[in-house]
Amino acid sequence: MSIIVGASIAITKRYRPQLWLAWCLVLVGVALLSTVKEDTSRGASIGYQFIAGVGIGMVFAGSYFPVLAPLPVALNAQALAFFVFVRSFAQVSVLVSKYCIERPTTLFLVADLERHRRGRDHTERAPPAAARRGARG
């Protein structure tokens, strides 16, 4: 998809229509993915992922051009290096925040699972619903 986007930008000398189309595909694909339930067919779910993936690929490739468009050719190397650094740094910050959120949650879930295995969970000791109804009369 990156080659097609790059070629279309080179041919038309415009990058905004491709980026608008890309973001529309991302939005439609993610909206469709939000409708996936347990009874959704595998083909539909793969198709939804494909739509979102094509849009993300187009955004990923097409976002270089707005960075380079206003600059002289002599500054392209520095601009691309900084752009790649910022994109990589953003991915690292997402990973760090994901770790900070998931680590305490994982520790809590593991402790809860251990408590459940040892029989300290109070839900195991509750009488069945039929026994409770019978006790009331």
Side-chain angles (χ1 to χ4, degrees), residues 67-99:
V67 172
L68 299 176
L71 298 176
V73 176
L75 297 176
N76 278 356
Q78 293 91 342
L80 281 178
F82 182 69
F83 183 71
V84 169
F85 168 75
V86 170
R87 185 178 274 178
S88 300
F89 187 73
Q91 290 173 353
V92 168
S93 65
V94 167
L95 289 176
V96 169
S97 62
K98 179 179 177 257
Y99 178 78

PDB file of all heavy atoms in Angstrom, residues 67-99:
ATOM      1  N   VAL A  67       5.764  16.503   5.881  1.00  0.00           N
ATOM      2  CA  VAL A  67       6.973  16.933   6.591  1.00  0.00           C
ATOM      3  C   VAL A  67       7.984  17.504   5.605  1.00  0.00           C
ATOM      4  O   VAL A  67       8.638  18.514   5.873  1.00  0.00           O
ATOM      5  CB  VAL A  67       7.588  15.738   7.367  1.00  0.00           C
ATOM      6  CG1 VAL A  67       8.945  16.098   7.943  1.00  0.00           C
ATOM      7  CG2 VAL A  67       6.649  15.279   8.460  1.00  0.00           C
ATOM      8  N   LEU A  68       8.105  16.881   4.455  1.00  0.00           N
ATOM      9  CA  LEU A  68       9.125  17.291   3.485  1.00  0.00           C
ATOM     10  C   LEU A  68       8.679  18.412   2.559  1.00  0.00           C
ATOM     11  O   LEU A  68       9.525  19.114   1.988  1.00  0.00           O
ATOM     12  CB  LEU A  68       9.534  16.084   2.637  1.00  0.00           C
ATOM     13  CG  LEU A  68      10.148  14.918   3.394  1.00  0.00           C
ATOM     14  CD1 LEU A  68      10.417  13.768   2.446  1.00  0.00           C
ATOM     15  CD2 LEU A  68      11.416  15.344   4.091  1.00  0.00           C
ATOM     16  N   ALA A  69       7.384  18.617   2.396  1.00  0.00           N
ATOM     17  CA  ALA A  69       6.883  19.574   1.404  1.00  0.00           C
ATOM     18  C   ALA A  69       7.393  21.000   1.608  1.00  0.00           C
ATOM     19  O   ALA A  69       7.816  21.643   0.642  1.00  0.00           O
ATOM     20  CB  ALA A  69       5.370  19.551   1.371  1.00  0.00           C
ATOM     21  N   PRO A  70       7.380  21.554   2.817  1.00  0.00           N
ATOM     22  CA  PRO A  70       7.785  22.962   2.936  1.00  0.00           C
ATOM     23  C   PRO A  70       9.302  23.173   3.017  1.00  0.00           C
ATOM     24  O   PRO A  70       9.751  24.317   3.060  1.00  0.00           O
ATOM     25  CB  PRO A  70       7.119  23.399   4.244  1.00  0.00           C
ATOM     26  CG  PRO A  70       7.028  22.167   5.055  1.00  0.00           C
ATOM     27  CD  PRO A  70       6.833  21.052   4.077  1.00  0.00           C
ATOM     28  N   LEU A  71      10.092  22.106   3.035  1.00  0.00           N
ATOM     29  CA  LEU A  71      11.530  22.244   3.263  1.00  0.00           C
ATOM     30  C   LEU A  71      12.320  22.206   1.963  1.00  0.00           C
ATOM     31  O   LEU A  71      11.928  21.544   0.998  1.00  0.00           O
ATOM     32  CB  LEU A  71      12.024  21.096   4.153  1.00  0.00           C
ATOM     33  CG  LEU A  71      11.421  21.022   5.548  1.00  0.00           C
ATOM     34  CD1 LEU A  71      11.926  19.786   6.256  1.00  0.00           C
ATOM     35  CD2 LEU A  71      11.771  22.257   6.343  1.00  0.00           C
ATOM     36  N   PRO A  72      13.461  22.879   1.964  1.00  0.00           N
ATOM     37  CA  PRO A  72      14.359  22.725   0.816  1.00  0.00           C
ATOM     38  C   PRO A  72      14.955  21.313   0.802  1.00  0.00           C
ATOM     39  O   PRO A  72      15.055  20.651   1.835  1.00  0.00           O
ATOM     40  CB  PRO A  72      15.443  23.777   1.042  1.00  0.00           C
ATOM     41  CG  PRO A  72      15.307  24.219   2.441  1.00  0.00           C
ATOM     42  CD  PRO A  72      13.950  23.857   2.912  1.00  0.00           C
ATOM     43  N   VAL A  73      15.347  20.859  -0.361  1.00  0.00           N
ATOM     44  CA  VAL A  73      15.868  19.499  -0.517  1.00  0.00           C
ATOM     45  C   VAL A  73      17.094  19.273   0.363  1.00  0.00           C
ATOM     46  O   VAL A  73      17.324  18.168   0.845  1.00  0.00           O
ATOM     47  CB  VAL A  73      16.181  19.223  -2.005  1.00  0.00           C
ATOM     48  CG1 VAL A  73      16.814  17.859  -2.195  1.00  0.00           C
ATOM     49  CG2 VAL A  73      14.920  19.344  -2.844  1.00  0.00           C
ATOM     50  N   ALA A  74      17.873  20.297   0.622  1.00  0.00           N
ATOM     51  CA  ALA A  74      19.086  20.153   1.433  1.00  0.00           C
ATOM     52  C   ALA A  74      18.775  19.736   2.874  1.00  0.00           C
ATOM     53  O   ALA A  74      19.632  19.165   3.556  1.00  0.00           O
ATOM     54  CB  ALA A  74      19.873  21.460   1.434  1.00  0.00           C
ATOM     55  N   LEU A  75      17.567  19.987   3.351  1.00  0.00           N
ATOM     56  CA  LEU A  75      17.200  19.647   4.727  1.00  0.00           C
ATOM     57  C   LEU A  75      16.385  18.360   4.849  1.00  0.00           C
ATOM     58  O   LEU A  75      15.928  18.015   5.951  1.00  0.00           O
ATOM     59  CB  LEU A  75      16.412  20.807   5.349  1.00  0.00           C
ATOM     60  CG  LEU A  75      17.164  22.122   5.497  1.00  0.00           C
ATOM     61  CD1 LEU A  75      16.239  23.195   6.039  1.00  0.00           C
ATOM     62  CD2 LEU A  75      18.357  21.940   6.415  1.00  0.00           C
ATOM     63  N   ASN A  76      16.211  17.640   3.747  1.00  0.00           N
ATOM     64  CA  ASN A  76      15.394  16.428   3.779  1.00  0.00           C
ATOM     65  C   ASN A  76      15.953  15.378   4.727  1.00  0.00           C
ATOM     66  O   ASN A  76      15.196  14.726   5.448  1.00  0.00           O
ATOM     67  CB  ASN A  76      15.257  15.829   2.381  1.00  0.00           C
ATOM     68  CG  ASN A  76      14.175  16.520   1.578  1.00  0.00           C
ATOM     69  OD1 ASN A  76      13.479  17.390   2.084  1.00  0.00           O
ATOM     70  ND2 ASN A  76      14.060  16.129   0.326  1.00  0.00           N
ATOM     71  N   ALA A  77      17.255  15.172   4.727  1.00  0.00           N
ATOM     72  CA  ALA A  77      17.848  14.131   5.573  1.00  0.00           C
ATOM     73  C   ALA A  77      17.601  14.426   7.052  1.00  0.00           C
ATOM     74  O   ALA A  77      17.193  13.543   7.816  1.00  0.00           O
ATOM     75  CB  ALA A  77      19.332  13.996   5.286  1.00  0.00           C
ATOM     76  N   GLN A  78      17.847  15.659   7.472  1.00  0.00           N
ATOM     77  CA  GLN A  78      17.634  16.019   8.877  1.00  0.00           C
ATOM     78  C   GLN A  78      16.158  15.928   9.250  1.00  0.00           C
ATOM     79  O   GLN A  78      15.805  15.475  10.340  1.00  0.00           O
ATOM     80  CB  GLN A  78      18.155  17.433   9.169  1.00  0.00           C
ATOM     81  CG  GLN A  78      19.650  17.565   9.077  1.00  0.00           C
ATOM     82  CD  GLN A  78      20.127  17.967   7.694  1.00  0.00           C
ATOM     83  OE1 GLN A  78      19.406  17.850   6.711  1.00  0.00           O
ATOM     84  NE2 GLN A  78      21.362  18.413   7.616  1.00  0.00           N
ATOM     85  N   ALA A  79      15.292  16.365   8.354  1.00  0.00           N
ATOM     86  CA  ALA A  79      13.860  16.333   8.640  1.00  0.00           C
ATOM     87  C   ALA A  79      13.365  14.895   8.767  1.00  0.00           C
ATOM     88  O   ALA A  79      12.606  14.566   9.693  1.00  0.00           O
ATOM     89  CB  ALA A  79      13.090  17.064   7.543  1.00  0.00           C
ATOM     90  N   LEU A  80      13.801  14.030   7.870  1.00  0.00           N
ATOM     91  CA  LEU A  80      13.384  12.630   7.955  1.00  0.00           C
ATOM     92  C   LEU A  80      13.954  11.951   9.190  1.00  0.00           C
ATOM     93  O   LEU A  80      13.282  11.142   9.835  1.00  0.00           O
ATOM     94  CB  LEU A  80      13.799  11.873   6.698  1.00  0.00           C
ATOM     95  CG  LEU A  80      12.897  12.087   5.489  1.00  0.00           C
ATOM     96  CD1 LEU A  80      13.433  11.334   4.285  1.00  0.00           C
ATOM     97  CD2 LEU A  80      11.484  11.656   5.786  1.00  0.00           C
ATOM     98  N   ALA A  81      15.202  12.262   9.538  1.00  0.00           N
ATOM     99  CA  ALA A  81      15.793  11.671  10.746  1.00  0.00           C
ATOM    100  C   ALA A  81      15.011  12.095  11.984  1.00  0.00           C
ATOM    101  O   ALA A  81      14.710  11.261  12.856  1.00  0.00           O
ATOM    102  CB  ALA A  81      17.259  12.088  10.862  1.00  0.00           C
ATOM    103  N   PHE A  82      14.658  13.356  12.076  1.00  0.00           N
ATOM    104  CA  PHE A  82      13.889  13.827  13.222  1.00  0.00           C
ATOM    105  C   PHE A  82      12.487  13.220  13.229  1.00  0.00           C
ATOM    106  O   PHE A  82      11.976  12.826  14.274  1.00  0.00           O
ATOM    107  CB  PHE A  82      13.810  15.355  13.214  1.00  0.00           C
ATOM    108  CG  PHE A  82      13.067  15.908  14.393  1.00  0.00           C
ATOM    109  CD1 PHE A  82      13.603  15.813  15.665  1.00  0.00           C
ATOM    110  CD2 PHE A  82      11.830  16.505  14.232  1.00  0.00           C
ATOM    111  CE1 PHE A  82      12.918  16.307  16.763  1.00  0.00           C
ATOM    112  CE2 PHE A  82      11.136  17.008  15.320  1.00  0.00           C
ATOM    113  CZ  PHE A  82      11.685  16.905  16.589  1.00  0.00           C
ATOM    114  N   PHE A  83      11.875  13.116  12.055  1.00  0.00           N
ATOM    115  CA  PHE A  83      10.539  12.538  11.957  1.00  0.00           C
ATOM    116  C   PHE A  83      10.543  11.077  12.410  1.00  0.00           C
ATOM    117  O   PHE A  83       9.672  10.649  13.172  1.00  0.00           O
ATOM    118  CB  PHE A  83      10.041  12.648  10.512  1.00  0.00           C
ATOM    119  CG  PHE A  83       8.649  12.139  10.309  1.00  0.00           C
ATOM    120  CD1 PHE A  83       7.565  12.832  10.803  1.00  0.00           C
ATOM    121  CD2 PHE A  83       8.425  10.971   9.608  1.00  0.00           C
ATOM    122  CE1 PHE A  83       6.273  12.378  10.613  1.00  0.00           C
ATOM    123  CE2 PHE A  83       7.135  10.506   9.418  1.00  0.00           C
ATOM    124  CZ  PHE A  83       6.063  11.207   9.915  1.00  0.00           C
ATOM    125  N   VAL A  84      11.533  10.307  11.972  1.00  0.00           N
ATOM    126  CA  VAL A  84      11.629   8.905  12.374  1.00  0.00           C
ATOM    127  C   VAL A  84      11.911   8.809  13.873  1.00  0.00           C
ATOM    128  O   VAL A  84      11.374   7.946  14.566  1.00  0.00           O
ATOM    129  CB  VAL A  84      12.706   8.176  11.545  1.00  0.00           C
ATOM    130  CG1 VAL A  84      13.010   6.807  12.100  1.00  0.00           C
ATOM    131  CG2 VAL A  84      12.251   8.070  10.097  1.00  0.00           C
ATOM    132  N   PHE A  85      12.746   9.707  14.407  1.00  0.00           N
ATOM    133  CA  PHE A  85      13.011   9.709  15.847  1.00  0.00           C
ATOM    134  C   PHE A  85      11.733   9.975  16.638  1.00  0.00           C
ATOM    135  O   PHE A  85      11.439   9.283  17.606  1.00  0.00           O
ATOM    136  CB  PHE A  85      14.063  10.763  16.200  1.00  0.00           C
ATOM    137  CG  PHE A  85      14.166  11.016  17.672  1.00  0.00           C
ATOM    138  CD1 PHE A  85      14.796  10.112  18.507  1.00  0.00           C
ATOM    139  CD2 PHE A  85      13.607  12.155  18.229  1.00  0.00           C
ATOM    140  CE1 PHE A  85      14.876  10.338  19.867  1.00  0.00           C
ATOM    141  CE2 PHE A  85      13.680  12.394  19.586  1.00  0.00           C
ATOM    142  CZ  PHE A  85      14.317  11.476  20.409  1.00  0.00           C
ATOM    143  N   VAL A  86      10.974  10.967  16.229  1.00  0.00           N
ATOM    144  CA  VAL A  86       9.743  11.308  16.948  1.00  0.00           C
ATOM    145  C   VAL A  86       8.742  10.161  16.869  1.00  0.00           C
ATOM    146  O   VAL A  86       8.110   9.803  17.866  1.00  0.00           O
ATOM    147  CB  VAL A  86       9.134  12.618  16.401  1.00  0.00           C
ATOM    148  CG1 VAL A  86       7.749  12.863  16.943  1.00  0.00           C
ATOM    149  CG2 VAL A  86      10.040  13.779  16.736  1.00  0.00           C
ATOM    150  N   ARG A  87       8.627   9.538  15.700  1.00  0.00           N
ATOM    151  CA  ARG A  87       7.712   8.404  15.553  1.00  0.00           C
ATOM    152  C   ARG A  87       8.147   7.238  16.427  1.00  0.00           C
ATOM    153  O   ARG A  87       7.326   6.597  17.090  1.00  0.00           O
ATOM    154  CB  ARG A  87       7.652   7.987  14.089  1.00  0.00           C
ATOM    155  CG  ARG A  87       6.649   6.900  13.820  1.00  0.00           C
ATOM    156  CD  ARG A  87       6.586   6.556  12.358  1.00  0.00           C
ATOM    157  NE  ARG A  87       5.670   7.458  11.682  1.00  0.00           N
ATOM    158  CZ  ARG A  87       5.427   7.429  10.390  1.00  0.00           C
ATOM    159  NH1 ARG A  87       6.045   6.565   9.622  1.00  0.00           N
ATOM    160  NH2 ARG A  87       4.575   8.274   9.858  1.00  0.00           N
ATOM    161  N   SER A  88       9.439   6.968  16.481  1.00  0.00           N
ATOM    162  CA  SER A  88       9.952   5.881  17.326  1.00  0.00           C
ATOM    163  C   SER A  88       9.783   6.205  18.804  1.00  0.00           C
ATOM    164  O   SER A  88       9.429   5.338  19.604  1.00  0.00           O
ATOM    165  CB  SER A  88      11.428   5.625  17.023  1.00  0.00           C
ATOM    166  OG  SER A  88      11.589   5.263  15.686  1.00  0.00           O
ATOM    167  N   PHE A  89      10.043   7.447  19.166  1.00  0.00           N
ATOM    168  CA  PHE A  89       9.883   7.853  20.561  1.00  0.00           C
ATOM    169  C   PHE A  89       8.428   7.739  20.998  1.00  0.00           C
ATOM    170  O   PHE A  89       8.138   7.348  22.129  1.00  0.00           O
ATOM    171  CB  PHE A  89      10.391   9.284  20.749  1.00  0.00           C
ATOM    172  CG  PHE A  89      10.425   9.714  22.178  1.00  0.00           C
ATOM    173  CD1 PHE A  89      11.387   9.209  23.044  1.00  0.00           C
ATOM    174  CD2 PHE A  89       9.493  10.601  22.670  1.00  0.00           C
ATOM    175  CE1 PHE A  89      11.424   9.604  24.371  1.00  0.00           C
ATOM    176  CE2 PHE A  89       9.511  10.997  23.996  1.00  0.00           C
ATOM    177  CZ  PHE A  89      10.494  10.494  24.849  1.00  0.00           C
ATOM    178  N   ALA A  90       7.513   8.046  20.110  1.00  0.00           N
ATOM    179  CA  ALA A  90       6.093   7.914  20.433  1.00  0.00           C
ATOM    180  C   ALA A  90       5.738   6.455  20.690  1.00  0.00           C
ATOM    181  O   ALA A  90       4.971   6.153  21.604  1.00  0.00           O
ATOM    182  CB  ALA A  90       5.242   8.470  19.298  1.00  0.00           C
ATOM    183  N   GLN A  91       6.317   5.544  19.921  1.00  0.00           N
ATOM    184  CA  GLN A  91       6.048   4.124  20.144  1.00  0.00           C
ATOM    185  C   GLN A  91       6.619   3.664  21.478  1.00  0.00           C
ATOM    186  O   GLN A  91       6.000   2.866  22.177  1.00  0.00           O
ATOM    187  CB  GLN A  91       6.619   3.298  18.995  1.00  0.00           C
ATOM    188  CG  GLN A  91       5.865   3.495  17.705  1.00  0.00           C
ATOM    189  CD  GLN A  91       6.514   2.813  16.528  1.00  0.00           C
ATOM    190  OE1 GLN A  91       7.614   2.275  16.633  1.00  0.00           O
ATOM    191  NE2 GLN A  91       5.842   2.823  15.396  1.00  0.00           N
ATOM    192  N   VAL A  92       7.796   4.164  21.847  1.00  0.00           N
ATOM    193  CA  VAL A  92       8.391   3.797  23.130  1.00  0.00           C
ATOM    194  C   VAL A  92       7.529   4.327  24.278  1.00  0.00           C
ATOM    195  O   VAL A  92       7.299   3.626  25.265  1.00  0.00           O
ATOM    196  CB  VAL A  92       9.836   4.324  23.229  1.00  0.00           C
ATOM    197  CG1 VAL A  92      10.372   4.205  24.641  1.00  0.00           C
ATOM    198  CG2 VAL A  92      10.733   3.588  22.263  1.00  0.00           C
ATOM    199  N   SER A  93       7.032   5.537  24.152  1.00  0.00           N
ATOM    200  CA  SER A  93       6.202   6.091  25.228  1.00  0.00           C
ATOM    201  C   SER A  93       4.903   5.309  25.371  1.00  0.00           C
ATOM    202  O   SER A  93       4.404   5.128  26.476  1.00  0.00           O
ATOM    203  CB  SER A  93       5.924   7.574  24.977  1.00  0.00           C
ATOM    204  OG  SER A  93       5.142   7.737  23.814  1.00  0.00           O
ATOM    205  N   VAL A  94       4.359   4.804  24.260  1.00  0.00           N
ATOM    206  CA  VAL A  94       3.165   3.965  24.340  1.00  0.00           C
ATOM    207  C   VAL A  94       3.491   2.668  25.060  1.00  0.00           C
ATOM    208  O   VAL A  94       2.726   2.197  25.903  1.00  0.00           O
ATOM    209  CB  VAL A  94       2.590   3.695  22.925  1.00  0.00           C
ATOM    210  CG1 VAL A  94       1.554   2.590  22.953  1.00  0.00           C
ATOM    211  CG2 VAL A  94       2.010   4.961  22.342  1.00  0.00           C
ATOM    212  N   LEU A  95       4.639   2.086  24.761  1.00  0.00           N
ATOM    213  CA  LEU A  95       5.029   0.846  25.432  1.00  0.00           C
ATOM    214  C   LEU A  95       5.238   1.053  26.925  1.00  0.00           C
ATOM    215  O   LEU A  95       4.834   0.218  27.736  1.00  0.00           O
ATOM    216  CB  LEU A  95       6.305   0.285  24.803  1.00  0.00           C
ATOM    217  CG  LEU A  95       6.152  -0.304  23.411  1.00  0.00           C
ATOM    218  CD1 LEU A  95       7.501  -0.726  22.856  1.00  0.00           C
ATOM    219  CD2 LEU A  95       5.213  -1.486  23.443  1.00  0.00           C
ATOM    220  N   VAL A  96       5.860   2.154  27.305  1.00  0.00           N
ATOM    221  CA  VAL A  96       6.094   2.420  28.724  1.00  0.00           C
ATOM    222  C   VAL A  96       4.769   2.628  29.452  1.00  0.00           C
ATOM    223  O   VAL A  96       4.550   2.082  30.535  1.00  0.00           O
ATOM    224  CB  VAL A  96       7.027   3.642  28.901  1.00  0.00           C
ATOM    225  CG1 VAL A  96       7.061   4.103  30.333  1.00  0.00           C
ATOM    226  CG2 VAL A  96       8.430   3.297  28.416  1.00  0.00           C
ATOM    227  N   SER A  97       3.876   3.396  28.863  1.00  0.00           N
ATOM    228  CA  SER A  97       2.585   3.619  29.522  1.00  0.00           C
ATOM    229  C   SER A  97       1.775   2.330  29.574  1.00  0.00           C
ATOM    230  O   SER A  97       1.085   2.062  30.557  1.00  0.00           O
ATOM    231  CB  SER A  97       1.810   4.717  28.811  1.00  0.00           C
ATOM    232  OG  SER A  97       1.532   4.330  27.481  1.00  0.00           O
ATOM    233  N   LYS A  98       1.875   1.494  28.547  1.00  0.00           N
ATOM    234  CA  LYS A  98       1.187   0.205  28.561  1.00  0.00           C
ATOM    235  C   LYS A  98       1.716  -0.659  29.697  1.00  0.00           C
ATOM    236  O   LYS A  98       0.944  -1.299  30.412  1.00  0.00           O
ATOM    237  CB  LYS A  98       1.391  -0.492  27.224  1.00  0.00           C
ATOM    238  CG  LYS A  98       0.761  -1.844  27.121  1.00  0.00           C
ATOM    239  CD  LYS A  98       1.014  -2.418  25.730  1.00  0.00           C
ATOM    240  CE  LYS A  98       0.446  -3.807  25.635  1.00  0.00           C
ATOM    241  NZ  LYS A  98       1.420  -4.857  25.718  1.00  0.00           N
ATOM    242  N   TYR A  99       3.013  -0.658  29.881  1.00  0.00           N
ATOM    243  CA  TYR A  99       3.607  -1.439  30.975  1.00  0.00           C
ATOM    244  C   TYR A  99       3.149  -0.899  32.325  1.00  0.00           C
ATOM    245  O   TYR A  99       2.833  -1.666  33.226  1.00  0.00           O
ATOM    246  CB  TYR A  99       5.132  -1.397  30.874  1.00  0.00           C
ATOM    247  CG  TYR A  99       5.812  -2.133  31.997  1.00  0.00           C
ATOM    248  CD1 TYR A  99       5.903  -3.516  31.988  1.00  0.00           C
ATOM    249  CD2 TYR A  99       6.350  -1.452  33.075  1.00  0.00           C
ATOM    250  CE1 TYR A  99       6.513  -4.198  33.018  1.00  0.00           C
ATOM    251  CE2 TYR A  99       6.963  -2.116  34.113  1.00  0.00           C
ATOM    252  CZ  TYR A  99       7.049  -3.493  34.078  1.00  0.00           C
ATOM    253  OH  TYR A  99       7.642  -4.161  35.100  1.00  0.00           O
TER     254      TYR A  99
END
